[in-house]
Amino acid sequence: MKLKNKKIDLKDFFKEREEVLQSWKTGSDFELDLEEAVKYLKGVPSYKNFAFVLNKAKEHGETLIQPRAGVPELGEHIKLLQYLEKSGADFLPSTIDSYTRQNRYIEAEKGLDESVVKHRALLNGFPAVNHGVKSCKQVLESVNVPIEARHGTPDARLLSEIIHASGWTSNEGGGISYNIPYAKSIPLEVSIRNWQYCDRLVGYYEEQGIKINREPFGPLTGTLVPPCISNTVMIIEALLAAEQGVKNITVGYGMGGNLIQDVAAVNTLYYQTKEYLDKYGYKDMEISTVFHQWMGGFPADEAEAMALISYSSTVAALSKATKLITKSPHESMGIPTMEANGLGVKASKFIVKMLKDQKITRSADLDDEMELIRREVDCLMDAVYKVGEGDLAVGTVRAFEQGLLDIPFAPSQYNAGKIFPARDNDGRIRILEFGSLAMSQDIKDFHYEKIKARADSENRKISFQLTVDDVYSVSKGALIGRPLK
Ligand code: 8ZB
């Protein structure tokens, strides 16, 4: 395997860059000239710089708000972002459409053209590659907060070139988190290598004195993901990014539903990311956290959806996450209207402001849960380094091959898909079936005991039915999928 966790040599980067830029018409050469991009990025004011605003929020113990949003047509997209800014968004997104995520730019172009003609969104996001640098700059210049590209792209090299050259100072994704949950048949070594390029580009800008934020996608499949799995993926992607020169990283977590487990997960995520970056010699790193409101099935009722959004915001605020990604009352139906999206932002902001100066008191329960996650993540990280013979990138590929690392409910053929999660009696996400997951026996025993206690209290045997019931429970108004009495 050629893949290695090693900083891409600048000469090799520039050679690859030529190929990347030739893969689609990218406007004038001038627009993607790196010197030009550096000049433009240096002119972006600090209040529109993602890393700068995150650092300030972290310093003040604030949780800042960011929605998801993207429509195909430029004018409509700008209108949408301006509306969300007025609704209280501290950061803006540009959610990229699915064709662009799969590098299908011809189809994206067709969808964009038709959307313009029919005055209707015929793509599920903003096709930033087709719009090109000039239009993406116009988006940034139309708002007063930082912009991030949010997508789900295994090969985001060209997209990353375009968005950063346009002054968008954050990019979401990573070699694992934007492959395994999003694609069926893209080898992990391919997506990891592509994301090394995206991170190297950020590293290049950092070398020029420009701060750019990177955000691995924490929720993964968004469905009953045990905290140790997503935290391990976050730490791996943070380490891979740091090797390429990334300095400002926001590690993410998708809400699980149990308050103590969620607070424990976010805190452990922060401390262990720091610890591992330090251990492997990456200095001067700026780390922040992002909490995703409930990523599983939502209730269809809009009042119930708003309640879930508010509960999610409560947990985010109490976990002291730096950023909160919001949902809307339209979540169960699909992409929200501008107005519904704005309601999600407003409700979320109200809650985090109410809780700004409140803390969760430390308790033995919280400490135990943090300690458990810490030990689980160490187990998984040790296994990855071991199987990679010291190389993290190689280890990641092999760990997934062997199921030592395994993400529940992922579509990828490069994921073993053998683990099944289920909730315990407190609604904490535990692991019912470990498959080949690299976990020590005492931890496996602990999970078994917890799930056994729940099954006993429901008068049933431990089985996959627990998993199924838990997948649907929240949308029906209960955290735990208990059988009807
Ligand atoms: C993995 C992320 C899924 C979430 C939302 C979905 C879901 C996707 C758009 C969007 C607003 C868009 N999402 N695309 N929200 N505008 N173009 O991402 O609704 O909540």
Side-chain angles (χ1 to χ4, degrees):
M1 199 185 331
K2 280 198 316 256
L3 184 71
K4 249 172 124 172
N5 179 28
K6 181 137 199 322
K7 189 168 188 178
I8 302 172
D9 180 78
L10 199 57
K11 263 211 328 270
D12 296 335
F13 174 75
F14 283 136
K15 220 170 97 199
E16 184 175 345
R17 188 171 190 271
E18 269 175 43
E19 285 163 36
V20 169
L21 298 192
Q22 275 165 17
S23 60
W24 177 252
K25 54 175 184 178
T26 45
S28 67
D29 291 336
F30 174 74
E31 285 174 346
L32 276 165
D33 182 89
L34 265 180
E35 269 177 50
E36 195 53 42
V38 166
K39 219 163 66 191
Y40 185 79
L41 275 160
K42 283 194 169 160
V44 171
S46 55
Y47 63 88
K48 283 201 215 186
N49 181 287
F50 228 99
F52 184 87
V53 177
L54 278 168
N55 289 350
K56 217 172 68 181
K58 194 177 136 186
E59 202 181 297
H60 296 136
E62 275 178 286
T63 300
L64 299 186
I65 304 293
Q66 182 180 24
R68 297 186 174 91
V71 289
E73 202 267 317
L74 179 64
E76 290 297 313
H77 186 62
I78 289 174
K79 202 171 104 190
L80 170 63
L81 295 193
Q82 288 175 335
Y83 183 88
L84 293 170
E85 186 187 331
K86 264 210 221 104
S87 304
D90 301 297
F91 296 110
L92 286 167
S94 286
T95 301
I96 307 301
D97 71 287
S98 298
Y99 284 131
T100 304
R101 297 179 192 189
Q102 297 174 61
N103 312 91
R104 290 158 64 175
Y105 307 122
I106 293 170
E107 284 143 297
E109 186 95 339
K110 229 176 105 195
L112 172 58
D113 290 348
E114 274 180 46
S115 302
V116 172
V117 173
K118 296 189 176 151
H119 298 293
R120 202 155 65 86
L122 294 167
L123 295 173
N124 62 355
F126 181 79
V129 169
N130 298 71
H131 280 297
V133 173
K134 201 163 153 237
S135 297
C136 290
K137 279 182 178 170
Q138 207 181 317
V139 174
L140 183 77
E141 287 162 15
S142 306
V143 298
N144 306 292
V145 299
I147 295 190
E148 172 183 41
R150 303 188 67 88
H151 38 117
T153 312
D155 179 3
R157 292 174 299 170
L158 180 58
L159 175 64
S160 306
E161 287 280 358
I162 288 173
I163 59 143
H164 294 320
S166 309
W168 300 11
T169 44
S170 179
N171 193 13
E172 191 193 34
I176 307 163
S177 65
Y178 266 10
N179 177 352
I180 302 296
Y182 280 98
K184 217 153 59 178
S185 52
I186 295 172
L188 205 46
E189 57 253 57
V190 171
S191 55
I192 291 178
R193 181 55 188 72
N194 288 337
W195 275 94
Q196 283 179 326
Y197 179 99
C198 301
D199 287 329
R200 186 65 186 86
L201 175 63
V202 171
Y204 175 83
Y205 283 127
E206 290 282 352
E207 286 155 18
Q208 312 302 308
I210 293 157
K211 274 182 180 299
I212 290 186
N213 171 252
R214 279 276 294 109
E215 180 190 340
F217 176 60
L220 303 176
T221 54
T223 309
L224 297 174
V225 179
C228 63
I229 307 265
S230 47
N231 282 12
T232 299
V233 172
M234 290 301 96
I235 293 167
I236 293 173
E237 291 191 358
L239 286 162
L240 293 174
E243 174 63 28
Q244 300 304 323
V246 169
K247 295 285 179 200
N248 190 282
I249 299 183
T250 307
V251 278
Y253 174 75
M255 176 184 175
N258 172 281
L259 172 64
I260 296 295
Q261 187 180 43
D262 283 338
V263 171
V266 175
N267 281 281
T268 314
L269 175 61
Y270 177 73
Y271 290 120
Q272 279 188 302
T273 303
K274 239 168 106 87
E275 188 187 303
Y276 274 92
L277 285 169
D278 213 51
K279 176 173 170 188
Y280 287 95
Y282 303 107
K283 307 286 178 219
D284 314 316
M285 301 296 296
E286 296 168 339
I287 303 154
S288 49
T289 53
V290 53
F291 187 95
H292 293 249
Q293 291 184 350
W294 179 248
M295 293 291 286
F298 250 68
D301 183 275
E302 294 192 20
E304 289 179 2
M306 279 306 247
L308 181 53
I309 286 168
S310 305
Y311 173 49
S312 299
S313 305
T314 306
V315 183
L318 292 175
S319 73
K320 297 283 161 218
T322 326
K323 187 172 85 167
L324 169 58
I325 303 289
T326 60
K327 290 268 179 171
S328 86
H330 283 178
E331 174 61 21
S332 76
M333 282 156 328
I335 294 176
T337 60
M338 179 167 90
E339 291 79 10
N341 209 341
L343 291 177
V345 170
K346 264 194 187 171
S348 304
K349 188 139 187 179
F350 188 87
I351 301 253
V352 298
K353 283 198 306 204
M354 293 299 289
L355 289 164
K356 182 180 176 309
D357 301 303
Q358 303 191 43
K359 274 193 213 57
I360 276 229
T361 318
R362 281 188 67 171
S363 62
D365 186 21
L366 181 57
D367 286 349
D368 288 351
E369 197 63 47
M370 285 181 65
E371 178 61 13
L372 175 69
I373 298 169
R374 199 186 61 71
R375 284 172 49 222
E376 291 168 342
V377 167
D378 283 341
C379 265
L380 296 174
M381 290 299 295
D382 286 351
V384 171
Y385 275 106
K386 191 166 162 220
V387 79
E389 296 160 272
D391 187 285
L392 182 62
V394 174
T396 300
V397 173
R398 290 183 185 158
F400 272 95
E401 252 165 29
Q402 298 174 28
L404 304 171
L405 253 183
D406 195 350
I407 297 173
F409 310 112
S412 173
Q413 68 183 83
Y414 296 96
N415 182 66
K418 285 196 296 200
I419 75 167
F420 291 117
R423 294 190 187 278
D424 68 12
N425 257 334
D426 304 327
R428 299 183 199 193
I429 298 170
R430 307 294 182 198
I431 301 171
L432 184 155
E433 169 57 60
F434 279 83
S436 309
L437 199 71
M439 206 62 85
S440 63
Q441 194 55 47
D442 61 321
I443 291 174
K444 287 185 186 175
D445 293 345
F446 176 83
H447 282 247
Y448 175 80
E449 290 307 323
K450 284 289 181 182
I451 291 178
K452 175 88 169 44
R454 170 189 165 186
D456 285 351
S457 74
E458 294 172 2
N459 283 319
R460 52 175 169 166
K461 296 233 151 25
I462 292 183
S463 81
F464 180 60
Q465 193 58 43
L466 295 178
T467 310
V468 175
D469 292 344
D470 288 345
V471 167
Y472 295 104
S473 53
V474 169
S475 65
K476 297 182 191 162
L479 180 59
I480 307 169
R482 306 215 193 260
L484 294 172
K485 288 238 170 62

